[in-house]
Amino acid sequence: MRYIFYPGCSQEGTALEYRDSTLAVLQALGADVQELEGWTCCGASVASVMSELLGFVLPARNLALAEKQANGRDLLTVCSACYTNFRRTFATLAANRQLHQKVNQALELEGLAYQGTLTARHILDVLANDFGPEAIRARVKKPLEGLTVAPYYGCQTVRPYSPFDDGQRPTSMLPLLEALGVKVHRHSREASCCGTSLLMTKPEVGLTMVGSVLEACEGADCIVTVCPMCHMNLDAYQDKVSRLLGRKVQIPVLYLPQLIGLALGLPEEKLGLRRHITPVKF
Amino acid sequence: MAAITEALDLGQLDRSLAQRVSPGRWEKILSCIQCGTCSASCPAAHAMDISPRQMWRMVQLGMTEEVLRSKSIWLCSLCYTCHVRCPRGIPLTETIVRLKELAMERGIVSSPQSEAFYRAFAEVMRRYGRLREVEFMARYFLASNPLAALGFARLGLTMLARGKIRPELPRLGGEGRLDRLFARVAELEEKR
Ligand code: SF4
Ligand code: SF4
């Protein structure tokens, strides 16, 4: 299994532990991973608000770089917003030749052209379908028996451009979690919204959204996510949510590769569990 | 809103807004049957001044000012729930992004925090090519509400202590990493 890795901006800062744990798990599974050279921001949710064209040019710039470097490798993303931007760009340009040409007119400036041959894949898809639960189970050194885990997919991991799971009732994490020996806490907010940037721009609304997810996950020992934005929102605002609800809500939030890493017995410095705001204690 | 007593003649509508925000697929917007699935699915509907269902009717009616000045568009978190559930297959979420773009362009953003958020993010992205989170936060709070930063101060300190963020001095002057590409895009869009 060979990949080009597009980390995305948060992997250089607040979500460093997501990157480290992902790379450690992929290495343990025998994947061959190269970082995308010269990558820049995918535009997040911001570029396309500033300008529709910019919202396609920024992802396309990275896709064009990835096409040059690919040589049969898939492009791997760990952030669901980057993932959606790449897939939205691939799908929209494939259906709109004029726009595709315009995007390439912009990229010409950097000596680049996006051919439209490559799109991105999500780490959850890669873990669930390229490696699969059996490959992971075979490498488990410390089964996490006795641990109850609430899966949380969020929105853009599974919709609307994601081909590997159901957009409203996703299940792709279940076999992976079972392979680790944990008990799964199913709940009604698995694919609900974490509030994204509303936590900054409209905190009262964002906190209600985070609160409803955290409440649905109560009873589990931890929540497992696959997106740095979801992670930040669920992990960092638990004090504020507790104040809003008038009672203490405290539940550790792990990235899926961190949880897999624990079961594979990978060293703590690769997993970065101490970097989280809500302490990871089971 | 006043009760609508006559049947709408969709042939007589002002289509300019729909055409503007959904180029190439604006007819889809006219196919909205007002079922309310979007409103019922929206995690932010409770805080909106115009519900998603009402907003799509207003887009059909060409009520540009009212829609662009609404709080609702800035409460959309891009969750894509309405988008995948709309029985008429209208690309709702992406059309809201176009409404945001138009409101920004016309300078009628009802939410100063949202405007500050987008502008600060875009500025950091243009300068460095990648988001520098601390500089972005600093710019955002300075432009929106420096006092609100206090509400984040404790979280910021915890993040520093955990090594989740690193102090970075804003490199004023920047590196201009994507200056040329941003300028080229603006030129191609014939804006500014
Ligand atoms: S879900 Fe679609 S058809 Fe139904 S009210 Fe909303 S926009 Fe109209
Ligand atoms: S995409 Fe926006 S408008 Fe649609 S349901 Fe989600 S938050 Fe509401």
Side-chain angles (χ1 to χ4, degrees), chain A residues 209, chain B residues 38 41-45 48 52 55 75-83 92-93 96:
Chain A
M209 287 155 81
Chain B
C38 47
S41 307
C42 179
M48 291 179 172
M55 186 172 74
L75 283 163
C76 170
S77 60
L78 298 190
C79 78
Y80 281 97
T81 311
C82 59
H83 192 105
L92 297 176
T93 309
I96 294 178

Side-chain angles (χ1 to χ4, degrees), chain B residues 144-183:
Chain B
S144 59
N145 178 4
L147 279 179
L150 292 176
F152 280 85
R154 207 154 68 108
L155 178 56
L157 289 176
T158 314
M159 286 181 153
L160 269 176
R162 306 274 155 86
K164 229 172 158 45
I165 52 176
R166 281 164 292 188
E168 51 190 38
L169 294 170
R171 277 183 277 171
L172 295 173
E175 295 168 7
R177 178 71 187 79
L178 294 176
D179 275 4
R180 290 170 63 227
L181 194 60
F182 273 49

Side-chain angles (χ1 to χ4, degrees), chain B residues 31-39 53 56 82 85-88 90 92:
Chain B
S31 76
C32 164
I33 49 167
Q34 290 289 290
C35 68
T37 303
C38 47
S39 295
R53 177 188 61 78
W56 297 116
C82 59
R85 287 188 183 166
C86 172
R88 304 314 296 254
I90 309 174
L92 297 176

Side-chain angles (χ1 to χ4, degrees), chain A residues 161-174:
Chain A
Y161 293 105
S162 183
F164 71 88
D165 207 336
D166 187 273
Q168 299 184 57
R169 298 213 156 267
T171 51
S172 53
M173 249 194 264
L174 297 179

Side-chain angles (χ1 to χ4, degrees), chain A residues 130-174:
Chain A
D130 289 10
F131 296 96
E134 289 322 310
I136 290 171
R137 196 192 311 271
R139 289 176 175 82
V140 167
K141 296 215 174 73
K142 300 180 187 162
L144 304 174
E145 271 146 25
L147 198 68
T148 305
V149 176
Y152 179 70
Y153 301 80
C155 310
Q156 299 192 0
T157 311
V158 292
R159 67 178 170 264
Y161 293 105
S162 183
F164 71 88
D165 207 336
D166 187 273
Q168 299 184 57
R169 298 213 156 267
T171 51
S172 53
M173 249 194 264
L174 297 179

Side-chain angles (χ1 to χ4, degrees), chain B residues 100-115:
Chain B
K100 289 181 180 176
E101 182 189 14
L102 193 55
M104 290 280 268
E105 217 179 284
R106 303 226 170 138
I108 48 174
V109 178
S110 68
S111 158
Q113 299 89 336
S114 306
E115 176 153 20

